Amino acid sequence: MDQRQTAIVDNPDPSQSLGQISHLALDIGGSLIKVVYFSRNRDSSVDHKGESSSNDNPGVFNGNRKHTVLKGKLHFAKFETSKINDCLEFISSKKHHLGGFQHHENPAKDKKFIKATGGGAYKFAELFKEKLGIGLDKEDEMDCLVAGANFLLKAVPREVYTYVDGHKEFLQIDHNDLYPYLLVNIGSGVSMIKVDGDGKFERVSGTNVGGGTFWGLGRLLTRCKSFDELLELSHRGNNRVIDMLVGDIYGGTDYSKIGLSSTTIASSFGKAISDNKEIDDYKPEDVARSLLRMISNNIGQISYLNALRFGLKRIFFGGFFIQGHPYTMDTISVAVHFWSKGEAKAMFLRHEGFLGVLGAFMSYAKHSLDDSVVNQSMQSLVNGSYASDTNYNPQNGDWSDNESIPCSLYTA
Amino acid sequence: MDQRQTAIVDNPDPSQSLGQISHLALDIGGSLIKVVYFSRNRDSSVDHKGESSSNDNPGVFNGNRKHTVLKGKLHFAKFETSKINDCLEFISSKKHHLGGFQHHENPAKDKKFIKATGGGAYKFAELFKEKLGIGLDKEDEMDCLVAGANFLLKAVPREVYTYVDGHKEFLQIDHNDLYPYLLVNIGSGVSMIKVDGDGKFERVSGTNVGGGTFWGLGRLLTRCKSFDELLELSHRGNNRVIDMLVGDIYGGTDYSKIGLSSTTIASSFGKAISDNKEIDDYKPEDVARSLLRMISNNIGQISYLNALRFGLKRIFFGGFFIQGHPYTMDTISVAVHFWSKGEAKAMFLRHEGFLGVLGAFMSYAKHSLDDSVVNQSMQSLVNGSYASDTNYNPQNGDWSDNESIPCSLYTA
């Protein structure tokens, strides 16, 4: 039997310690490893609910079936891919709690699997087996991105926001008016996916100028040691020091005939041609700023052009690159607004960096339960549990990406 | 009276020295100044041809009118904008030959004008007046690019070629099937113009990641001193050293489900994230190569997306960036082919860097003669004179950009 269908916690032993961790999933990208795992609330009781079968899937649900409801939270973590040992240690420390990963059909085999997506699920499969004795159950990267995005868009309130003139505005997406949309996931590289429904999508474009370019080039140019440091640098910088503006070419005036103001960037890094300076003569923060603007603007433009191809008005941006960074979001928003003449809108997701790994996480359920039931149950329960979540303040809305999502799992 | 209408050589004095230089025009961009000037052949006779008027323009041509035919050559030169003094000296050395620049209506005023386009025509207008006593007669940059491109496409044989698998293939463009096309001019920045006819066009897009970015970033990263040196470096480099490939993420395998082979670049400069190297630990040639590929590919992609918007099958690339560099052309061609699935074609122009300045040059005629007559006469004469040009070898076809174009001017 396909092991995929058995990765769900099945009637967990109530004697297990509270706060138990289960259902860990991974998204191993070129730069970052994203982790999602579920922990039961320490005070949560285990409910057993009967649920009628769906006649659409008689092979799966023939007769009444009991679902176990686990209340708890989804937690998020990330590691640099180059420091994968940190991630292995982290998983190892949780491992003996991972009751949910045992092979359902034959627990005696003691063979554990975790859902994993991203290229690293292939690249590091052997390493996980060797070091942890855990198999990686590979899920397709695009499938996972779309599943994760749809989950967030449909199930998590105040997930989506626009960023205009320095202000976040949270939006409630009408579930009946969600599709089609363009999903732009900015990881090391960028994928652009036209999404038409649950599991209905096409990767229509992408670009190799993404988060990895920002981080990699930025590191070479500024010598800074981390992505966060680079973002922080860019926050303080001034791109006009190195970028060649329209005004620099036109002697301070606009080129108004074609709608280019004097402050429009004509050529990123163009001033470095004639400045007669070496890299160390520039402030790292100015270099970081120019780089961030170049890449954000470029992604915004290519995204818009792809949205235009298919008449998509909404573009959702995800991936670790954005990090809720004001300047990044502003540049992307302005680019989409500028190129679309206000027709298309850039939207951001609070859990932007975790789309893929959420999709991988959801695939635990996908393979053992009917899809519609999974989605319905995860949504309604995630929705339902928000009301009682004391950590979450909808008025503030500025919930950090790594913060947990209160959630309940239906397990069969 | 508008000075623009008087910049044409009018009945030049036959006693003037042969080899006379006249009709110099400038395109002063953010990085480079491009110069075109006309020199009469030393052995050329001056013909006076009668031509019937066009009844369509009775206001311009009422009755027979004499045109003076000057046989000679168009010459090309370029200077770095940051070294504008070299350009001023160059013009100064030609200045007393520039009979054509005197004010027609009132030569006694001894006020000279030269046609100029690009932002520098505004920025440096005062400098030209001060240092040379020459006024810059400003022509719109986009008008000039389109006029120059149309001239080359219609009047100069073997101007257009494709670059496939390392081979140039010259194309004869059918004049009746030229429009519409996308013109992509890669200077410091990039302009993308949909051209529908003579003087009929719209700048539909552009990008700030262009030649100035390649040169500016390249200079910071490699410390090389010139654009040509940077191109030469890139020729010897290997982008796989620094770029993160699909295979690097997937452990050597493809991501074939979405058509990405293991050698596709997932993230330009992405390997620099985890290599733990500083910029000096990489070979400059590898860095230059990655940069060239990143920018060429990006321009190819955005160009294609814009061609797609308007259903344009032909994209002509101009601007100083390309320089007939095989790797640049190959990357752009492959990008257009890849993204359009073979539907659209990248084409290159031998005089790529001089579109704008050729347009400015042609505007000497535009403002004193009826457009259709100017175009017709320039075309036919340029065409006609090729046959007898001993310097040009159509079999070879590898004519350097700076080489002169044999040409005759009709002047009224």
mmCIF file with all atom_site columns, all heavy atoms in Angstrom, chain A residues 7-27:
data_model
loop_
_atom_site.group_PDB
_atom_site.id
_atom_site.type_symbol
_atom_site.label_atom_id
_atom_site.label_alt_id
_atom_site.label_comp_id
_atom_site.label_asym_id
_atom_site.label_entity_id
_atom_site.label_seq_id
_atom_site.pdbx_PDB_ins_code
_atom_site.Cartn_x
_atom_site.Cartn_y
_atom_site.Cartn_z
_atom_site.occupancy
_atom_site.B_iso_or_equiv
_atom_site.pdbx_formal_charge
_atom_site.auth_seq_id
_atom_site.auth_comp_id
_atom_site.auth_asym_id
_atom_site.auth_atom_id
_atom_site.pdbx_PDB_model_num
ATOM 1   N N   . ALA A 1 7  ? 0.058  8.428  6.604  1.00 0.00 ? 7  ALA A N   1
ATOM 2   C CA  . ALA A 1 7  ? 0.862  9.301  7.440  1.00 0.00 ? 7  ALA A CA  1
ATOM 3   C C   . ALA A 1 7  ? 0.054  10.098 8.456  1.00 0.00 ? 7  ALA A C   1
ATOM 4   O O   . ALA A 1 7  ? 0.591  10.945 9.147  1.00 0.00 ? 7  ALA A O   1
ATOM 5   C CB  . ALA A 1 7  ? 1.666  10.264 6.563  1.00 0.00 ? 7  ALA A CB  1
ATOM 6   N N   . ILE A 1 8  ? -1.210 9.843  8.503  1.00 0.00 ? 8  ILE A N   1
ATOM 7   C CA  . ILE A 1 8  ? -2.055 10.567 9.450  1.00 0.00 ? 8  ILE A CA  1
ATOM 8   C C   . ILE A 1 8  ? -2.029 9.887  10.824 1.00 0.00 ? 8  ILE A C   1
ATOM 9   O O   . ILE A 1 8  ? -1.957 8.680  10.937 1.00 0.00 ? 8  ILE A O   1
ATOM 10  C CB  . ILE A 1 8  ? -3.511 10.581 8.927  1.00 0.00 ? 8  ILE A CB  1
ATOM 11  C CG1 . ILE A 1 8  ? -3.574 11.380 7.619  1.00 0.00 ? 8  ILE A CG1 1
ATOM 12  C CG2 . ILE A 1 8  ? -4.480 11.140 9.948  1.00 0.00 ? 8  ILE A CG2 1
ATOM 13  C CD1 . ILE A 1 8  ? -3.266 12.842 7.786  1.00 0.00 ? 8  ILE A CD1 1
ATOM 14  N N   . VAL A 1 9  ? -2.074 10.691 11.877 1.00 0.00 ? 9  VAL A N   1
ATOM 15  C CA  . VAL A 1 9  ? -2.165 10.126 13.231 1.00 0.00 ? 9  VAL A CA  1
ATOM 16  C C   . VAL A 1 9  ? -3.466 9.336  13.340 1.00 0.00 ? 9  VAL A C   1
ATOM 17  O O   . VAL A 1 9  ? -4.530 9.851  13.067 1.00 0.00 ? 9  VAL A O   1
ATOM 18  C CB  . VAL A 1 9  ? -2.200 11.254 14.284 1.00 0.00 ? 9  VAL A CB  1
ATOM 19  C CG1 . VAL A 1 9  ? -2.334 10.659 15.676 1.00 0.00 ? 9  VAL A CG1 1
ATOM 20  C CG2 . VAL A 1 9  ? -0.945 12.096 14.193 1.00 0.00 ? 9  VAL A CG2 1
ATOM 21  N N   . ASP A 1 10 ? -3.346 8.140  13.698 1.00 0.00 ? 10 ASP A N   1
ATOM 22  C CA  . ASP A 1 10 ? -4.544 7.303  13.777 1.00 0.00 ? 10 ASP A CA  1
ATOM 23  C C   . ASP A 1 10 ? -4.812 6.937  15.230 1.00 0.00 ? 10 ASP A C   1
ATOM 24  O O   . ASP A 1 10 ? -4.050 6.195  15.844 1.00 0.00 ? 10 ASP A O   1
ATOM 25  C CB  . ASP A 1 10 ? -4.330 6.045  12.938 1.00 0.00 ? 10 ASP A CB  1
ATOM 26  C CG  . ASP A 1 10 ? -5.623 5.279  12.759 1.00 0.00 ? 10 ASP A CG  1
ATOM 27  O OD1 . ASP A 1 10 ? -6.697 5.908  12.873 1.00 0.00 ? 10 ASP A OD1 1
ATOM 28  O OD2 . ASP A 1 10 ? -5.543 4.068  12.531 1.00 0.00 ? 10 ASP A OD2 1
ATOM 29  N N   . ASN A 1 11 ? -5.871 7.460  15.764 1.00 0.00 ? 11 ASN A N   1
ATOM 30  C CA  . ASN A 1 11 ? -6.236 7.189  17.161 1.00 0.00 ? 11 ASN A CA  1
ATOM 31  C C   . ASN A 1 11 ? -5.042 7.278  18.098 1.00 0.00 ? 11 ASN A C   1
ATOM 32  O O   . ASN A 1 11 ? -4.611 6.285  18.673 1.00 0.00 ? 11 ASN A O   1
ATOM 33  C CB  . ASN A 1 11 ? -6.866 5.790  17.291 1.00 0.00 ? 11 ASN A CB  1
ATOM 34  C CG  . ASN A 1 11 ? -8.167 5.729  16.511 1.00 0.00 ? 11 ASN A CG  1
ATOM 35  O OD1 . ASN A 1 11 ? -8.921 6.711  16.452 1.00 0.00 ? 11 ASN A OD1 1
ATOM 36  N ND2 . ASN A 1 11 ? -8.414 4.581  15.894 1.00 0.00 ? 11 ASN A ND2 1
ATOM 37  N N   . PRO A 1 12 ? -4.480 8.433  18.228 1.00 0.00 ? 12 PRO A N   1
ATOM 38  C CA  . PRO A 1 12 ? -3.265 8.553  19.045 1.00 0.00 ? 12 PRO A CA  1
ATOM 39  C C   . PRO A 1 12 ? -3.518 8.112  20.475 1.00 0.00 ? 12 PRO A C   1
ATOM 40  O O   . PRO A 1 12 ? -4.607 8.264  20.992 1.00 0.00 ? 12 PRO A O   1
ATOM 41  C CB  . PRO A 1 12 ? -2.948 10.052 18.966 1.00 0.00 ? 12 PRO A CB  1
ATOM 42  C CG  . PRO A 1 12 ? -4.245 10.714 18.632 1.00 0.00 ? 12 PRO A CG  1
ATOM 43  C CD  . PRO A 1 12 ? -5.008 9.737  17.798 1.00 0.00 ? 12 PRO A CD  1
ATOM 44  N N   . ASP A 1 13 ? -2.522 7.591  21.059 1.00 0.00 ? 13 ASP A N   1
ATOM 45  C CA  . ASP A 1 13 ? -2.619 7.107  22.427 1.00 0.00 ? 13 ASP A CA  1
ATOM 46  C C   . ASP A 1 13 ? -2.849 8.303  23.353 1.00 0.00 ? 13 ASP A C   1
ATOM 47  O O   . ASP A 1 13 ? -1.998 9.187  23.475 1.00 0.00 ? 13 ASP A O   1
ATOM 48  C CB  . ASP A 1 13 ? -1.300 6.405  22.774 1.00 0.00 ? 13 ASP A CB  1
ATOM 49  C CG  . ASP A 1 13 ? -1.325 5.843  24.190 1.00 0.00 ? 13 ASP A CG  1
ATOM 50  O OD1 . ASP A 1 13 ? -2.357 6.025  24.886 1.00 0.00 ? 13 ASP A OD1 1
ATOM 51  O OD2 . ASP A 1 13 ? -0.314 5.239  24.574 1.00 0.00 ? 13 ASP A OD2 1
ATOM 52  N N   . PRO A 1 14 ? -3.987 8.336  24.087 1.00 0.00 ? 14 PRO A N   1
ATOM 53  C CA  . PRO A 1 14 ? -4.263 9.483  24.955 1.00 0.00 ? 14 PRO A CA  1
ATOM 54  C C   . PRO A 1 14 ? -3.243 9.611  26.079 1.00 0.00 ? 14 PRO A C   1
ATOM 55  O O   . PRO A 1 14 ? -3.138 10.663 26.711 1.00 0.00 ? 14 PRO A O   1
ATOM 56  C CB  . PRO A 1 14 ? -5.645 9.193  25.504 1.00 0.00 ? 14 PRO A CB  1
ATOM 57  C CG  . PRO A 1 14 ? -6.186 8.037  24.736 1.00 0.00 ? 14 PRO A CG  1
ATOM 58  C CD  . PRO A 1 14 ? -5.026 7.319  24.143 1.00 0.00 ? 14 PRO A CD  1
ATOM 59  N N   . SER A 1 15 ? -2.458 8.559  26.332 1.00 0.00 ? 15 SER A N   1
ATOM 60  C CA  . SER A 1 15 ? -1.473 8.646  27.411 1.00 0.00 ? 15 SER A CA  1
ATOM 61  C C   . SER A 1 15 ? -0.233 9.429  27.002 1.00 0.00 ? 15 SER A C   1
ATOM 62  O O   . SER A 1 15 ? 0.623  9.730  27.819 1.00 0.00 ? 15 SER A O   1
ATOM 63  C CB  . SER A 1 15 ? -1.066 7.226  27.852 1.00 0.00 ? 15 SER A CB  1
ATOM 64  O OG  . SER A 1 15 ? -0.319 6.610  26.817 1.00 0.00 ? 15 SER A OG  1
ATOM 65  N N   . GLN A 1 16 ? -0.123 9.712  25.693 1.00 0.00 ? 16 GLN A N   1
ATOM 66  C CA  . GLN A 1 16 ? 1.056  10.466 25.244 1.00 0.00 ? 16 GLN A CA  1
ATOM 67  C C   . GLN A 1 16 ? 1.069  11.853 25.889 1.00 0.00 ? 16 GLN A C   1
ATOM 68  O O   . GLN A 1 16 ? 0.037  12.437 26.175 1.00 0.00 ? 16 GLN A O   1
ATOM 69  C CB  . GLN A 1 16 ? 1.037  10.620 23.717 1.00 0.00 ? 16 GLN A CB  1
ATOM 70  C CG  . GLN A 1 16 ? 1.485  9.334  23.003 1.00 0.00 ? 16 GLN A CG  1
ATOM 71  C CD  . GLN A 1 16 ? 1.566  9.564  21.511 1.00 0.00 ? 16 GLN A CD  1
ATOM 72  O OE1 . GLN A 1 16 ? 0.577  9.945  20.910 1.00 0.00 ? 16 GLN A OE1 1
ATOM 73  N NE2 . GLN A 1 16 ? 2.726  9.324  20.936 1.00 0.00 ? 16 GLN A NE2 1
ATOM 74  N N   . SER A 1 17 ? 2.245  12.346 26.079 1.00 0.00 ? 17 SER A N   1
ATOM 75  C CA  . SER A 1 17 ? 2.364  13.648 26.749 1.00 0.00 ? 17 SER A CA  1
ATOM 76  C C   . SER A 1 17 ? 1.624  14.721 25.976 1.00 0.00 ? 17 SER A C   1
ATOM 77  O O   . SER A 1 17 ? 1.575  14.717 24.760 1.00 0.00 ? 17 SER A O   1
ATOM 78  C CB  . SER A 1 17 ? 3.834  14.033 26.868 1.00 0.00 ? 17 SER A CB  1
ATOM 79  O OG  . SER A 1 17 ? 4.348  14.288 25.582 1.00 0.00 ? 17 SER A OG  1
ATOM 80  N N   . LEU A 1 18 ? 1.089  15.662 26.704 1.00 0.00 ? 18 LEU A N   1
ATOM 81  C CA  . LEU A 1 18 ? 0.435  16.790 26.050 1.00 0.00 ? 18 LEU A CA  1
ATOM 82  C C   . LEU A 1 18 ? 1.503  17.654 25.381 1.00 0.00 ? 18 LEU A C   1
ATOM 83  O O   . LEU A 1 18 ? 2.675  17.596 25.738 1.00 0.00 ? 18 LEU A O   1
ATOM 84  C CB  . LEU A 1 18 ? -0.368 17.587 27.069 1.00 0.00 ? 18 LEU A CB  1
ATOM 85  C CG  . LEU A 1 18 ? -1.566 16.818 27.641 1.00 0.00 ? 18 LEU A CG  1
ATOM 86  C CD1 . LEU A 1 18 ? -2.237 17.605 28.759 1.00 0.00 ? 18 LEU A CD1 1
ATOM 87  C CD2 . LEU A 1 18 ? -2.574 16.474 26.561 1.00 0.00 ? 18 LEU A CD2 1
ATOM 88  N N   . GLY A 1 19 ? 1.070  18.487 24.465 1.00 0.00 ? 19 GLY A N   1
ATOM 89  C CA  . GLY A 1 19 ? 2.038  19.294 23.724 1.00 0.00 ? 19 GLY A CA  1
ATOM 90  C C   . GLY A 1 19 ? 2.785  18.475 22.688 1.00 0.00 ? 19 GLY A C   1
ATOM 91  O O   . GLY A 1 19 ? 3.783  18.908 22.147 1.00 0.00 ? 19 GLY A O   1
ATOM 92  N N   . GLN A 1 20 ? 2.272  17.308 22.421 1.00 0.00 ? 20 GLN A N   1
ATOM 93  C CA  . GLN A 1 20 ? 2.934  16.422 21.460 1.00 0.00 ? 20 GLN A CA  1
ATOM 94  C C   . GLN A 1 20 ? 3.065  17.065 20.081 1.00 0.00 ? 20 GLN A C   1
ATOM 95  O O   . GLN A 1 20 ? 2.164  17.745 19.616 1.00 0.00 ? 20 GLN A O   1
ATOM 96  C CB  . GLN A 1 20 ? 2.102  15.143 21.344 1.00 0.00 ? 20 GLN A CB  1
ATOM 97  C CG  . GLN A 1 20 ? 2.652  14.169 20.330 1.00 0.00 ? 20 GLN A CG  1
ATOM 98  C CD  . GLN A 1 20 ? 1.599  13.151 19.915 1.00 0.00 ? 20 GLN A CD  1
ATOM 99  O OE1 . GLN A 1 20 ? 0.482  13.140 20.436 1.00 0.00 ? 20 GLN A OE1 1
ATOM 100 N NE2 . GLN A 1 20 ? 1.961  12.306 18.964 1.00 0.00 ? 20 GLN A NE2 1
ATOM 101 N N   . ILE A 1 21 ? 4.195  16.834 19.460 1.00 0.00 ? 21 ILE A N   1
ATOM 102 C CA  . ILE A 1 21 ? 4.423  17.351 18.115 1.00 0.00 ? 21 ILE A CA  1
ATOM 103 C C   . ILE A 1 21 ? 4.200  16.246 17.108 1.00 0.00 ? 21 ILE A C   1
ATOM 104 O O   . ILE A 1 21 ? 4.659  15.115 17.300 1.00 0.00 ? 21 ILE A O   1
ATOM 105 C CB  . ILE A 1 21 ? 5.854  17.892 18.001 1.00 0.00 ? 21 ILE A CB  1
ATOM 106 C CG1 . ILE A 1 21 ? 5.942  19.216 18.769 1.00 0.00 ? 21 ILE A CG1 1
ATOM 107 C CG2 . ILE A 1 21 ? 6.274  18.085 16.557 1.00 0.00 ? 21 ILE A CG2 1
ATOM 108 C CD1 . ILE A 1 21 ? 7.339  19.646 19.058 1.00 0.00 ? 21 ILE A CD1 1
ATOM 109 N N   . SER A 1 22 ? 3.490  16.591 16.067 1.00 0.00 ? 22 SER A N   1
ATOM 110 C CA  . SER A 1 22 ? 3.285  15.591 15.019 1.00 0.00 ? 22 SER A CA  1
ATOM 111 C C   . SER A 1 22 ? 3.198  16.297 13.677 1.00 0.00 ? 22 SER A C   1
ATOM 112 O O   . SER A 1 22 ? 3.172  17.508 13.610 1.00 0.00 ? 22 SER A O   1
ATOM 113 C CB  . SER A 1 22 ? 2.015  14.800 15.274 1.00 0.00 ? 22 SER A CB  1
ATOM 114 O OG  . SER A 1 22 ? 0.889  15.636 15.171 1.00 0.00 ? 22 SER A OG  1
ATOM 115 N N   . HIS A 1 23 ? 3.159  15.514 12.632 1.00 0.00 ? 23 HIS A N   1
ATOM 116 C CA  . HIS A 1 23 ? 2.909  16.069 11.306 1.00 0.00 ? 23 HIS A CA  1
ATOM 117 C C   . HIS A 1 23 ? 3.866  17.173 10.927 1.00 0.00 ? 23 HIS A C   1
ATOM 118 O O   . HIS A 1 23 ? 3.442  18.239 10.501 1.00 0.00 ? 23 HIS A O   1
ATOM 119 C CB  . HIS A 1 23 ? 1.478  16.589 11.201 1.00 0.00 ? 23 HIS A CB  1
ATOM 120 C CG  . HIS A 1 23 ? 0.460  15.509 11.322 1.00 0.00 ? 23 HIS A CG  1
ATOM 121 N ND1 . HIS A 1 23 ? 0.001  15.086 12.528 1.00 0.00 ? 23 HIS A ND1 1
ATOM 122 C CD2 . HIS A 1 23 ? -0.164 14.799 10.372 1.00 0.00 ? 23 HIS A CD2 1
ATOM 123 C CE1 . HIS A 1 23 ? -0.881 14.129 12.324 1.00 0.00 ? 23 HIS A CE1 1
ATOM 124 N NE2 . HIS A 1 23 ? -0.999 13.929 11.041 1.00 0.00 ? 23 HIS A NE2 1
ATOM 125 N N   . LEU A 1 24 ? 5.116  16.904 11.047 1.00 0.00 ? 24 LEU A N   1
ATOM 126 C CA  . LEU A 1 24 ? 6.107  17.862 10.573 1.00 0.00 ? 24 LEU A CA  1
ATOM 127 C C   . LEU A 1 24 ? 6.275  17.717 9.060  1.00 0.00 ? 24 LEU A C   1
ATOM 128 O O   . LEU A 1 24 ? 6.291  16.617 8.525  1.00 0.00 ? 24 LEU A O   1
ATOM 129 C CB  . LEU A 1 24 ? 7.424  17.599 11.308 1.00 0.00 ? 24 LEU A CB  1
ATOM 130 C CG  . LEU A 1 24 ? 8.592  18.541 11.062 1.00 0.00 ? 24 LEU A CG  1
ATOM 131 C CD1 . LEU A 1 24 ? 9.406  18.680 12.346 1.00 0.00 ? 24 LEU A CD1 1
ATOM 132 C CD2 . LEU A 1 24 ? 9.483  18.047 9.933  1.00 0.00 ? 24 LEU A CD2 1
ATOM 133 N N   . ALA A 1 25 ? 6.374  18.853 8.368  1.00 0.00 ? 25 ALA A N   1
ATOM 134 C CA  . ALA A 1 25 ? 6.617  18.827 6.920  1.00 0.00 ? 25 ALA A CA  1
ATOM 135 C C   . ALA A 1 25 ? 7.744  19.792 6.580  1.00 0.00 ? 25 ALA A C   1
ATOM 136 O O   . ALA A 1 25 ? 8.014  20.737 7.322  1.00 0.00 ? 25 ALA A O   1
ATOM 137 C CB  . ALA A 1 25 ? 5.351  19.206 6.154  1.00 0.00 ? 25 ALA A CB  1
ATOM 138 N N   . LEU A 1 26 ? 8.393  19.527 5.451  1.00 0.00 ? 26 LEU A N   1
ATOM 139 C CA  . LEU A 1 26 ? 9.563  20.307 5.047  1.00 0.00 ? 26 LEU A CA  1
ATOM 140 C C   . LEU A 1 26 ? 9.429  20.839 3.625  1.00 0.00 ? 26 LEU A C   1
ATOM 141 O O   . LEU A 1 26 ? 8.857  20.172 2.762  1.00 0.00 ? 26 LEU A O   1
ATOM 142 C CB  . LEU A 1 26 ? 10.817 19.412 5.060  1.00 0.00 ? 26 LEU A CB  1
ATOM 143 C CG  . LEU A 1 26 ? 11.285 18.826 6.378  1.00 0.00 ? 26 LEU A CG  1
ATOM 144 C CD1 . LEU A 1 26 ? 12.373 17.771 6.100  1.00 0.00 ? 26 LEU A CD1 1
ATOM 145 C CD2 . LEU A 1 26 ? 11.831 19.932 7.264  1.00 0.00 ? 26 LEU A CD2 1
ATOM 146 N N   . ASP A 1 27 ? 9.980  22.001 3.406  1.00 0.00 ? 27 ASP A N   1
ATOM 147 C CA  . ASP A 1 27 ? 10.170 22.513 2.048  1.00 0.00 ? 27 ASP A CA  1
ATOM 148 C C   . ASP A 1 27 ? 11.638 22.905 1.952  1.00 0.00 ? 27 ASP A C   1
ATOM 149 O O   . ASP A 1 27 ? 12.068 23.896 2.539  1.00 0.00 ? 27 ASP A O   1
ATOM 150 C CB  . ASP A 1 27 ? 9.251  23.723 1.818  1.00 0.00 ? 27 ASP A CB  1
ATOM 151 C CG  . ASP A 1 27 ? 9.488  24.385 0.465  1.00 0.00 ? 27 ASP A CG  1
ATOM 152 O OD1 . ASP A 1 27 ? 10.303 23.876 -0.330 1.00 0.00 ? 27 ASP A OD1 1
ATOM 153 O OD2 . ASP A 1 27 ? 8.842  25.430 0.216  1.00 0.00 ? 27 ASP A OD2 1
#
